[in-house]
Amino acid sequence: MPGNDARLGWLGTGRMGAAMAARLIDAGHRVTVWNRTKPKTAPLAARGATVAGRLTDLGGCDIVFVTVSGPADLAEVVMGEHGLLSGPRCPPVIVDCSTVSAETSAAVRAAARRAGAGFLAAPVSGNPHVVAEGGACVVASGPAEVFGRVRPYLEQIAKVAVYAGPEEQARLVKLCHNLYLGMMVQALVEVTSLAEKGGTDRAAFLTFLSGTVVGSDWVRKRSGDLAGCDWTPTFTTDLLRKDFDLGLAAARALEVPMPVGSLVHQLIQSAIGTGARGKDLLSLYEQQARNAALGPAAE
Amino acid sequence: MPGNDARLGWLGTGRMGAAMAARLIDAGHRVTVWNRTKPKTAPLAARGATVAGRLTDLGGCDIVFVTVSGPADLAEVVMGEHGLLSGPRCPPVIVDCSTVSAETSAAVRAAARRAGAGFLAAPVSGNPHVVAEGGACVVASGPAEVFGRVRPYLEQIAKVAVYAGPEEQARLVKLCHNLYLGMMVQALVEVTSLAEKGGTDRAAFLTFLSGTVVGSDWVRKRSGDLAGCDWTPTFTTDLLRKDFDLGLAAARALEVPMPVGSLVHQLIQSAIGTGARGKDLLSLYEQQARNAALGPAAE
Amino acid sequence: MPGNDARLGWLGTGRMGAAMAARLIDAGHRVTVWNRTKPKTAPLAARGATVAGRLTDLGGCDIVFVTVSGPADLAEVVMGEHGLLSGPRCPPVIVDCSTVSAETSAAVRAAARRAGAGFLAAPVSGNPHVVAEGGACVVASGPAEVFGRVRPYLEQIAKVAVYAGPEEQARLVKLCHNLYLGMMVQALVEVTSLAEKGGTDRAAFLTFLSGTVVGSDWVRKRSGDLAGCDWTPTFTTDLLRKDFDLGLAAARALEVPMPVGSLVHQLIQSAIGTGARGKDLLSLYEQQARNAALGPAAE
Amino acid sequence: MPGNDARLGWLGTGRMGAAMAARLIDAGHRVTVWNRTKPKTAPLAARGATVAGRLTDLGGCDIVFVTVSGPADLAEVVMGEHGLLSGPRCPPVIVDCSTVSAETSAAVRAAARRAGAGFLAAPVSGNPHVVAEGGACVVASGPAEVFGRVRPYLEQIAKVAVYAGPEEQARLVKLCHNLYLGMMVQALVEVTSLAEKGGTDRAAFLTFLSGTVVGSDWVRKRSGDLAGCDWTPTFTTDLLRKDFDLGLAAARALEVPMPVGSLVHQLIQSAIGTGARGKDLLSLYEQQARNAALGPAAE
């Protein structure tokens, strides 16, 4: 029963999933939730959600959203022995909002299709806090008709819900986002070190840059960390490199040259080779400052 | 007479100057304005400004702001035969809010110093519309004490007023801003073409990217032009290349490596060599799309 | 029976194999040859070689050299149903002088080891003409003791026979060679176009560069083609790209940054995207000349 | 008196000049030499040269070759108060074989032209030892007719004498040569570190590469230094950077993109920033090895 009044299921109520499901519940939708460790569903139950006894009970919903922590989990909760497709009823639509590879996505999609379910890959940009405030963005791919049915709900979850294409395009778009982030960070550390060696205080420079039209929320939020050389991990150089590995492999397959993307990939590799492994991606500054002979990066 | 009640002068009331001066007038300050073509001062007079008969009359102000269209104009209105420093009285503080080279800035600063005036280089980021709405950013350099006197006024003109150092640092910071913009645009066209060749609609991709934490006002504002392949000039590839020429020369002098900045410089050069001269910097997309064999850039 | 008087087998007497085997025969060694199309063994027989009736007859040799045209052929002639390892006797040493991937090499090596044969990967640099004149270079990897036994023969085949390590290192060294070649060609087209736009005749420039200490045989041999914009394939952009794919993947796996290698990879990709597919790698000049607005590349 | 029997003058008999002049004397030409410190002319006198009493005595020659140590010296010995052009007679042709900037070259050329002398810029590639063995290369620019007169002598001095154009092209060609060298060295250290991290001995790899068609005399000669991490200066990173400064400035002026050249410029800058200042250009390996986490570059 589609439309704006579908019965919704939510599989996986970790921090992200809970924040997203909460927005649907608060908007008045009927949401049935399930989580491997049941106590995590309590806050949503308090908010009005029904808690499913078994994962397969979600098969009775019109649309089941999935938010799990990676490809192996996604495969298991959908295609596994006790997964969503193993139950007596299969939901007509499954929407995966996790961050998984295009390969896993395609495999799960194929399994869903064989079981008669439409599958939407719908990764989310934004952390739980951003989601809660309605500031998240979703990019979705799968059959256009499936997107049409899910769209009203995505738009309640996020401020932007974009359709990227009929297959795994949403995964590539997410990689593009992270490639762009990596390039932006390298650009940032280059100009920051230049201004700094020219005599401008790092924090002052970042305040200026953040305030102008080229400033982004990301730069604004992280300026303090960069100014203070705080490399506490939020997104490590290694994870960033992995996204560059995947993104550049996709570019190669599609025969799209990525001159700057590719150079940044190598610079990340150099940074990892000289001590940035496991540090936040902002630590690209350390390599840049060292190469610019800027003296101790952090006083 | 310093403090928040200084007599202010405004030399040059073109679109940017008028928007900036208006903010000071509207805040209740006494502002005397002068412009080569007098009629352009009328709107400010109507707003409450005094109109000076001769440029040198501004010599009686405590602080004179200058907004002219380039280095030659700045040199003339300050150091020229009939310039500000040629009059019977020299203002104690001159603040240049134009965009000029570090060389011109240093020459004007030296001339001002000889005449007993403190000089602040204070380029602005933002167009007249942004200025009027209070969204501009100013970065200033010159003697710290001079910045201290001018700061309250800069903060009424702009939302951010940052101190960059005792000499021409503000000019370098402005170049850093434009280097960052250039790198951002190249990053943008790389990921856009990748998403596009993967099957995602260009406009949809840009909507998503603009919405996330990596989105900037600049990208949001220009997404439509990029989606529609509209290269009507706002900032041409040639002017961008000039800023890269200057910024990379400064980096070389300071011995700061700019691996990505330098590569983008070369890519801008390639774009100019293959037809992007005089087009908007977003036309870097054309080169990228051609190299990716994306077919006609604009359908 | 090792030493300098082993019974040698030669499997595959195409142009390269024949040239290499001929050097051993001419040096007085006993060589038994086999080829899928028997007539191709005639010139070697005339030179003194014994022609084997069946491939597996080579099993009686002390050392069997293999020169076939690619990984599938290597796998078949060694591990296939009627391959070298299928016979009643297995030669103690197999030396593969073909150009195959590290994966195939490792698989064949493992099969040989199980059958009790030592395996040497020994790709060759040089064409049949160079081999005949004694100018080839061999890089070999496998057990050091096996290399020791084969070395005297390799040194009769080639002017240089280098030991690269105990496993598939020789394959990586060959890729390194081709990465270096690709970078050299891009460097070449950059400086050639610069000299040319400065007013120097392309052929004159190449004559000068070829004559100096930085000149290589490759550049000397190909200068005429570059001067004349003759892109008749000797080594196509696509094949070069494939070697960059493999070489850069190896670099990634080993965590070795390749800033220039990676940029050249992207430039090859751009060239392919704009028409260089299937052309000789020297056609990288076309892209460079176009980006430099050098006018018609070839008059 | 042109032709093959001109009276030749040689101004500056340092190591390079002496080696070049000796080849002309040994070929039977009449050569008059002059040097600031007269004793340095003795070996040439012993070989058959006439020693001029005053620099201006060379004015009586048909062609005067100049080999001095830099632009200031060239300007002085030609245009200075007691220089070649100050004497009673001006030679019809002056050939400068020093390495100087295009600016100085143009200034000296203009002065010579005003005095009625044809000027040829003719920098040499090769050290005194190479020159003595007849292995040097000369690239010359100036009026074609002047080149025609000088060519027979250049061809006795060097194995290759190339005409680059009517003005300062020879200077640019020399810069192109050094840009190519710098790119080749970076390419070399990338592939060397890759082979090495893959398990191949550095010296073995370089022996292989040097032996193949991509090997150059330069690489062959310097392989031992690279294998042994001997950075005793032959051509320092700083001097190389200076040539990249000049070469890339020329490329910018001519609007020729240099993607790899420009990246190598930045890598040289990074190397200098991290300790390679004053070391041989081969020390680019240190940076590469560090970024590849290759452990102590030299054991």
Side-chain angles (χ1 to χ4, degrees), chain B residues 241 255 258 262 266 277, chain D residues 241 255 258 262 266 277:
Chain B
R241 181 179 57 173
E255 300 204 309
M258 303 286 285
S262 175
Q266 301 301 315
R277 199 187 304 273
Chain D
R241 181 180 57 174
E255 299 204 311
M258 302 287 285
S262 176
Q266 301 301 315
R277 198 187 305 273

Side-chain angles (χ1 to χ4, degrees), chain C:
Chain C
M1 204 242 67
N4 264 3
D5 199 22
R7 284 160 299 166
L8 306 176
W10 204 282
L11 197 170
T13 59
R15 290 180 63 235
M16 273 300 274
M20 294 168 79
R23 290 189 61 84
L24 291 172
I25 297 165
D26 292 357
H29 295 290
R30 291 173 291 159
V31 182
T32 304
V33 303
W34 182 89
N35 196 62
R36 193 170 307 179
T37 48
K38 203 169 178 180
K40 286 198 179 168
T41 59
L44 291 173
R47 217 159 184 140
T50 303
V51 177
R54 286 162 309 180
L55 189 161
T56 47
D57 292 347
L58 296 178
C61 296
D62 298 307
I63 301 174
V64 176
F65 293 86
V66 183
T67 42
V68 290
S69 60
D73 286 333
L74 175 65
E76 190 191 333
V77 299
V78 178
M79 306 153 62
E81 196 180 350
H82 306 292
L84 197 52
L85 302 179
S86 73
R89 286 198 297 178
C90 172
V93 172
I94 300 172
V95 181
D96 174 50
C97 298
S98 315
T99 293
V100 304
S101 66
E103 286 67 29
T104 300
S105 189
V108 173
R109 179 187 302 282
R113 194 188 302 118
R114 284 191 298 271
F119 181 82
L120 208 62
V124 179
S125 172
N127 61 33
H129 185 71
V130 168
V131 169
E133 289 184 331
C137 296
V138 176
V139 55
S141 61
E145 170 265 332
V146 173
F147 178 71
R149 284 161 76 178
V150 179
R151 179 176 213 156
Y153 306 102
L154 293 178
E155 289 179 341
Q156 249 148 6
I157 293 170
K159 68 174 176 182
V160 171
V162 164
Y163 180 62
E167 292 164 316
E168 309 313 329
Q169 283 84 359
R171 311 300 185 184
L172 180 58
V173 167
K174 197 73 196 298
L175 288 174
C176 285
H177 174 276
N178 286 358
L179 289 172
Y180 183 76
L181 171 62
M183 291 189 257
M184 196 180 78
V185 169
Q186 176 62 27
L188 185 67
V189 303
E190 290 189 15
V191 295
T192 300
S193 67
L194 176 53
E196 195 177 354
K197 206 166 181 192
T200 299
D201 175 73
R202 196 156 65 229
F205 174 74
L206 291 168
T207 299
F208 175 73
L209 197 77
S210 293
T212 74
V213 287
V214 301
S216 61
D217 284 347
W218 196 93
V219 170
R220 273 185 284 278
K221 194 169 59 178
R222 306 300 312 280
S223 281
D225 295 334
L226 178 50
C229 289
D230 179 351
W231 317 136
T232 307
T234 63
F235 186 25
T236 64
T237 53
D238 326 41
L239 285 174
L240 180 64
R241 181 179 58 174
K242 191 186 157 206
D243 280 349
F244 270 74
D245 289 343
L246 296 172
L248 292 174
R252 172 60 188 84
L254 291 165
E255 299 204 311
V256 174
M258 302 287 284
V260 168
S262 176
L263 176 55
V264 171
H265 192 209
Q266 301 301 314
L267 292 168
I268 297 167
Q269 180 58 67
S270 291
I272 288 175
T274 49
R277 198 186 305 271
K279 295 183 186 174
D280 189 68
L281 81 171
L282 276 178
S283 69
L284 284 171
Y285 172 78
E286 275 194 335
Q287 168 173 259
Q288 172 66 16
R290 183 175 60 241
N291 290 346
L294 254 177
E299 298 89 61

Side-chain angles (χ1 to χ4, degrees), chain D residues 5-20:
Chain D
D5 198 21
R7 285 161 297 165
L8 305 176
W10 205 283
L11 197 171
T13 59
R15 291 179 62 233
M16 274 299 273
M20 295 167 79

Side-chain angles (χ1 to χ4, degrees), chain D residues 231-246:
Chain D
W231 318 135
T232 308
T234 62
F235 186 25
T236 64
T237 53
D238 326 42
L239 286 174
L240 181 64
R241 181 180 57 174
K242 193 186 154 205
D243 281 349
F244 271 74
D245 289 343
L246 295 172

